[in-house]
Amino acid sequence: MGIAMSFEEIDILDLIPQRPPFLLIDRLVDFDERYTVTRFTVRENHLFCEQGELQAAGLIENIAQTCAARMGYINLINAERVKLGFIGAIRDLEILRLPRCGETLLTTIGNTQEVFRMMLVEAEVRSGDEILATAQMKIALSEIDAQN
């Protein structure tokens, strides 16, 4: 792999195709062969917030953007352009509690399988020590460059 950088040096917009007001991750926190972790602070004025809580669609998109950050980081260190990805399936989604505005989420995805441009991950969203949501997600990876 090519370059090495501190995760704090990386602008999240260089890793994912999403743009404001649809951003649901703030920073890549950790990355290795299997796991990727992102951080997101839920803002009161966010598009997916209602009555002081991030809605289920926001949690799902947070997981999907964590997958995008994983692929974007791989593209970055290999000096390639960010590619588009699409949610292929969501299984076993369990939302234990919706995050409240002001909470900081740590989302971890574990890459369980990658076959023919499809990535299967297990995801966990936490606030502190509390698990808020878990799911399995299948992401279809595209050859199309994201328009940054």
Side-chain angles (χ1 to χ4, degrees):
M1 294 195 180
I3 62 171
M5 329 174 66
S6 157
F7 296 129
E8 292 297 318
E9 294 177 67
I10 301 171
D11 184 342
I12 202 65
L13 296 177
D14 290 337
L15 300 182
I16 65 174
Q18 292 82 1
R19 294 293 178 258
F22 296 102
L23 286 180
L24 281 136
I25 58 175
D26 296 324
R27 174 118 357 249
L28 178 64
V29 175
D30 198 8
F31 171 93
D32 65 25
E33 276 184 26
R34 178 139 189 253
Y35 293 99
T36 303
V37 182
T38 60
R39 181 178 66 223
F40 176 65
T41 299
V42 181
R43 290 165 196 75
E44 200 168 315
N45 62 346
H46 196 280
L47 187 65
F48 287 108
C49 285
E50 289 181 20
Q51 299 176 352
E53 294 177 328
L54 182 68
Q55 298 303 295
L59 278 171
I60 293 166
E61 184 61 21
N62 169 265
I63 294 167
Q65 288 185 23
T66 299
C67 294
R70 176 178 182 77
M71 295 313 301
Y73 185 70
I74 292 168
N75 290 332
L76 179 70
I77 60 180
N78 289 318
E80 297 175 2
R81 291 184 53 96
V82 172
K83 307 284 190 220
L84 290 177
F86 304 94
I87 297 172
I90 301 167
R91 292 187 41 200
D92 302 325
L93 174 64
E94 185 175 5
I95 298 175
L96 304 167
R97 177 176 69 78
L98 292 174
R100 293 180 283 276
C101 293
E103 283 188 281
T104 297
L105 309 179
L106 283 180
T107 302
T108 302
I109 60 161
N111 193 7
T112 60
Q113 192 173 12
E114 195 168 330
V115 179
F116 299 119
R117 311 225 29 93
M118 294 291 287
M119 179 171 61
L120 180 63
V121 302
E122 292 180 349
E124 180 180 89
V125 181
R126 290 181 168 268
S127 176
D129 292 333
E130 181 183 5
I131 297 173
L132 302 183
T134 59
Q136 289 183 352
M137 188 175 286
K138 190 181 295 184
I139 301 289
L141 306 172
S142 171
E143 288 292 329
I144 299 170
D145 288 348
Q147 300 299 316
N148 287 337

